Every structure is written in structure tokens, then in C-alpha cells.
Amino acid sequence: MDPLEHMLTDPLDPKEEDGGQITEECMLGNCKVDLPEDLLEDPDIFFSVLSENTWNEVLTDSQRQHLQQFLPQFPDNNIEEQDRTIRDLFNNTNFNFGNPLHLAQRLFRDGYFNPEVVKYRQLCAKSQRKRQLHSLQQYYHRLLKQILVSRK
């Protein structure tokens, strides 16, 4: 079966697990993860789970160190700056274009990480790259014609 055909036949409805919990499949990087629908839809639940309290009291030191690898590296006082960045993240500080945690919650809520939406975005990006390459080839073809005509 063609990958596109398989994608179009998959149901978009959320799954209900054995415990009655409704989950939605999300594509995070290259992993498919089933997350509770309430976590994705309700900002209060989302921000109660992803909070400074969770960071400090629930995660182990090794988990925090692993996650800190994804933070920017600072030339001076790296650990202090990373700690400040984490505090700012959980305390709704605006980072140039909004708080990344709030932006992530909106993207989850709007279905941006749904595997089918991810696939469509990838197909659109591929199409745009092809269109851009074709446009560039046409530009150079016209430019070459103009150069040859000007030489005559």
C-alpha cells in the first residue's frame, strides 16, 4: 500500500484506552507518543504538569541534566544562566516572541503534532523545495539566454 494512501485511510479520531482515558497520538521528533487528550486540550492541566514544581520535585537529577543538554550553552556562568532560563520558562517570561511553553501548549491543542498533520507539513515542505528549485532553474535558464543574446 502506498504511504500516502495508508495515511489517508488512518482514522483521525482519538483512541480510548482500557481505563476510559482518551488519548491522542502525537509525533515528537521521530517518536509517536500517546498523550491524554485532557493534557493537550486543557491549559490548566498542561501547566500544572509542566511546572517548576514538577521540574524541582518530580524529576531526578539525571533527568534534569539530560533535559538541560537541550538548553542554550552560555559562555559565562553557563549553569546559572541555564537555571535562570528554566525559571523564566516556568514563570511566563516572554522570550522575544512569547513563552515557548505557552507556544507549545497552543501547538498541542491545535493538533500541530498529530502524525498526519506532521506528514502533510513534510509533504508541503518537499513540494515547496521542488517548486523553489524549479523556479531557480527557470531563472538561470532565462539569465543564460539573456547573456547569450547580449554576447551576439
Side-chain angles (χ1 to χ4, degrees):
M1 184 179 341
D2 183 34
L4 186 57
E5 184 180 321
H6 172 67
M7 181 179 68
L8 294 174
T9 58
D10 283 345
L12 288 173
D13 297 330
K15 295 187 266 185
E16 188 168 333
E17 300 220 342
D18 295 333
Q21 177 84 25
I22 297 175
T23 62
E24 289 185 26
E25 195 173 48
C26 293
M27 192 78 167
L28 300 175
N30 293 330
C31 297
K32 287 185 180 180
V33 180
D34 286 327
L35 296 173
E37 184 180 58
D38 294 338
L39 175 70
L40 303 178
E41 298 293 330
D42 188 353
D44 293 333
I45 296 173
F46 184 85
F47 292 116
S48 69
V49 171
L50 296 175
S51 67
E52 192 169 13
N53 184 38
T54 302
W55 177 265
N56 292 325
E57 296 177 16
V58 177
L59 298 178
T60 65
D61 287 336
S62 63
Q63 290 170 330
R64 281 194 294 269
Q65 288 174 354
H66 174 71
L67 292 172
Q68 283 178 329
Q69 295 174 25
F70 302 106
L71 291 172
Q73 301 298 315
F74 299 95
D76 299 327
N77 302 325
N78 186 44
I79 295 186
E80 293 171 11
E81 288 293 328
Q82 286 182 340
D83 289 341
R84 189 173 63 81
T85 302
I86 291 168
R87 273 194 314 277
D88 290 346
L89 180 69
F90 292 124
N91 292 321
N92 302 328
T93 302
N94 186 2
F95 292 76
N96 294 334
F97 298 102
N99 186 298
L101 209 50
H102 288 269
L103 296 172
Q105 193 277 328
R106 271 188 238 119
L107 292 174
F108 275 116
R109 182 193 63 211
D110 296 342
Y112 189 81
F113 297 107
N114 182 299
E116 293 187 20
V117 173
V118 170
K119 184 69 172 177
Y120 283 127
R121 279 197 331 265
Q122 290 171 344
L123 291 173
C124 285
K126 184 177 179 181
S127 172
Q128 287 174 345
R129 281 192 299 274
K130 283 184 177 181
R131 191 173 352 147
Q132 184 180 14
L133 179 60
H134 180 70
S135 175
L136 194 59
Q137 287 173 339
Q138 287 180 331
Y139 167 76
Y140 284 126
H141 182 71
R142 285 191 307 270
L143 184 62
L144 183 61
K145 278 184 175 179
Q146 290 173 353
I147 291 171
L148 292 175
V149 168
S150 69
R151 283 188 166 186
K152 289 182 181 179

